[in-house]
Amino acid sequence: MSDSELDVDLLVVGWGKAGKTLARRYASAGRSVALVERDPAMYGGTCINVACVPTKDLVVAAEARRPDDDPQEYFTRAVAGRDELVHGLNGANHRMLEGLATLVDGSARFIGPREVAVRTSDGETLTIRGATVVIGTGTIPARPEIPGLDLPGVYDSTTIQHADPFPRRLAVIGAGFVGLEFASMFQLFGSEVTVLDPRTELLPKLEPAVVATVRDVLGARGVTLRTATRVRAIERSGDGLRVLLEDGAVDADAVLVATGRTPVTAGLGLEAAGVATDDRGFIRVDERLRASAEGVYAVGDVNGGPQFTYISLDDNRVVWDQIAGEGRRTTTDRVAVPNTTFITPPLSQVGLTPAEALSRGHEVLYAAKKVADIAAMPRPKILGDADGIITFTADAATRQLLGATLFCVDSQEVINLVALAMRAGVTVDALLNGIWTHPSSTEALNEVLAELAPYDGS
């Protein structure tokens, strides 16, 4: 074997949550591991470098801004703090694997089954063969076919974190979770924000009471939400930009395009490895995360599953069980997986809405109460943010909780308790009569669950 070839027990392509965790676990068990990452700025994966962690750091900074803070100066300081945090996490992730696995900086392309050619950062080509291969190359922001996307001042969810200059007027194309999170954040930083979306309704998968409350809260803060409107193009207009719509135009200093994410599979040469993708480019996998080629797994966002870092962490558990365990664990084991969108206050959801529960044949109980009206939950008022609404959906016959939506302070924490209760089969009554610390947001359970009533969809 020459210096340009390497055979390992496990080859990981992409340094995401699942891949890096598998690499560390397998290498710590004494197996040979190689991990390939094309961009040193992505050591540790999307979450810590450009997504979950840095954006939430910016959200916290935005929430702490005072009205007399200059938006440009304050945003510049916030971005510097964000960068310092990311730099530390990026380096720590690299150190976690130094000395354990062979770490390769370069772009990998499959040239055969479980075999890649890597063009390294120093211009050399390294051939790596793995007895097992894990692909975790993630996703990047999608680029819709809108004329003008290449103009200065048009950003995606990664680049807008370093917007310069700070946009006094921001147009956000896309009212999904990412678009709303940045809309809320930049409004708090001091931007005048307009959100544009072609759908007739905001957050169509959530119940109407929640959607209406989100609209009211963002609207009261000054965020303009325009649904049922399509973007035709973006063009220069004086010193700024103009977003041309089918029904008018919006002037802005910057535009954020937040229309979803697309998998990083182009250029990987997956056809040479016998790895099939769907019509959007996501790698097809079964419930054990096995790709169409023997010995190849796809983990994290690139496999088309829910795009959350904690799902990627669970992907690691599923694959670990296949390659080092009993092979019983599957993605079908996942029950009551929560999610949070970090607008202010955070919006968290788990399980079924009442309409979904009804459509599945449940006899439904439902409760919805505005946070400002929940007497047993003073914590939001203490923090000066009593916006939001809390809803619960339950089965009338079994008294089992079927779902919840928490749009309130601390929802990102309380939703985990609710999800655990659902997985453990804890009844509504146990939660309703639970003894919780005071003052806490968990105390909402004592009051809102007491108001469950029959729901018929009307």
Side-chain angles (χ1 to χ4, degrees), residues 15 40 43-44 89-99 103 105:
W15 201 314
Y43 294 154
L89 293 173
N90 180 278
N93 270 263
H94 194 274
R95 291 190 294 274
M96 286 170 59
L97 283 164
E98 283 179 321
L103 306 179
D105 291 339

Side-chain angles (χ1 to χ4, degrees), residues 437-449:
T437 57
H438 176 79
S440 71
S441 294
T442 313
E443 291 178 291
L445 299 174
N446 295 137
E447 185 169 327
V448 182
L449 287 171

Side-chain angles (χ1 to χ4, degrees), residues 245-287:
L245 310 172
E246 289 181 345
D247 56 349
V250 172
D251 290 320
D253 300 309
V255 176
L256 166 62
V257 180
T259 55
R261 297 181 68 84
T262 189
V264 182
T265 50
L268 281 179
L270 294 177
E271 61 283 351
V275 174
T277 60
D278 66 14
D279 56 359
R280 296 182 298 163
F282 290 96
I283 296 175
R284 296 184 183 274
V285 294
D286 64 11
E287 72 279 0

Side-chain angles (χ1 to χ4, degrees), residues 201-362:
E201 189 48 82
L202 196 68
L203 304 172
K205 293 185 178 181
L206 297 183
E207 58 259 54
V210 174
V211 174
T213 306
V214 172
R215 270 189 171 276
D216 290 345
V217 170
L218 291 177
R221 284 183 15 209
V223 176
T224 300
L225 298 169
R226 294 184 58 175
T227 52
T229 185
R230 292 187 177 276
V231 175
R232 295 192 294 108
I234 304 169
E235 63 181 19
R236 298 299 310 175
S237 176
D239 293 333
L241 297 167
R242 175 167 292 166
V243 182
L244 303 178
L245 310 172
E246 289 181 345
D247 56 349
V250 172
D251 290 320
D253 300 309
V255 176
L256 166 62
V257 180
T259 55
R261 297 181 68 84
T262 189
V264 182
T265 50
L268 281 179
L270 294 177
E271 61 283 351
V275 174
T277 60
D278 66 14
D279 56 359
R280 296 182 298 163
F282 290 96
I283 296 175
R284 296 184 183 274
V285 294
D286 64 11
E287 72 279 0
R288 287 176 168 79
L289 300 178
R290 296 175 298 199
S292 54
E294 183 179 357
V296 179
Y297 298 83
V299 294
D301 295 357
V302 78
N303 66 26
Q307 294 180 13
F308 304 118
T309 192
Y310 45 90
I311 292 295
S312 184
L313 178 62
D314 196 60
D315 282 357
N316 141 76
R317 300 182 187 114
V318 172
V319 174
W320 178 261
D321 193 45
Q322 313 311 311
I323 66 177
E326 297 179 350
R328 296 179 180 177
R329 189 160 190 158
T330 73
T331 57
T332 61
D333 299 332
R334 296 168 182 162
V335 177
V337 177
N339 66 79
T340 296
T341 301
F342 284 85
I343 56 181
T344 302
L347 172 63
S348 303
Q349 200 274 335
V350 66
L352 305 177
T353 65
E356 289 171 334
L358 202 65
S359 70
R360 297 190 186 190
H362 292 276

Side-chain angles (χ1 to χ4, degrees), residues 33 51 60 69 86 98 125 141 143 149 172 181 187 196 217 222 242-243 248 257 272 304 321 323 373 420 437-438 444:
V33 176
V60 170
D69 288 320
V86 168
E98 283 179 321
T125 298
R143 288 180 59 84
L149 282 191
V172 179
E181 191 169 289
Q187 185 277 324
L196 308 166
V217 170
R242 175 167 292 166
V243 182
V257 180
D321 193 45
I323 66 177
D373 298 331
L420 178 59
T437 57
H438 176 79

Side-chain angles (χ1 to χ4, degrees), residues 158-202:
T158 296
T159 57
I160 198 168
Q161 296 174 50
H162 291 91
D164 187 25
F166 176 80
R168 303 287 176 147
R169 300 169 302 166
L170 175 67
V172 179
I173 301 175
F177 294 127
V178 173
L180 291 183
E181 191 169 289
F182 277 99
S184 176
M185 175 205 303
F186 271 86
Q187 185 277 324
L188 291 170
F189 272 128
S191 291
E192 177 185 309
V193 180
T194 301
V195 180
L196 308 166
D197 195 277
R199 294 172 295 182
T200 57
E201 189 48 82
L202 196 68

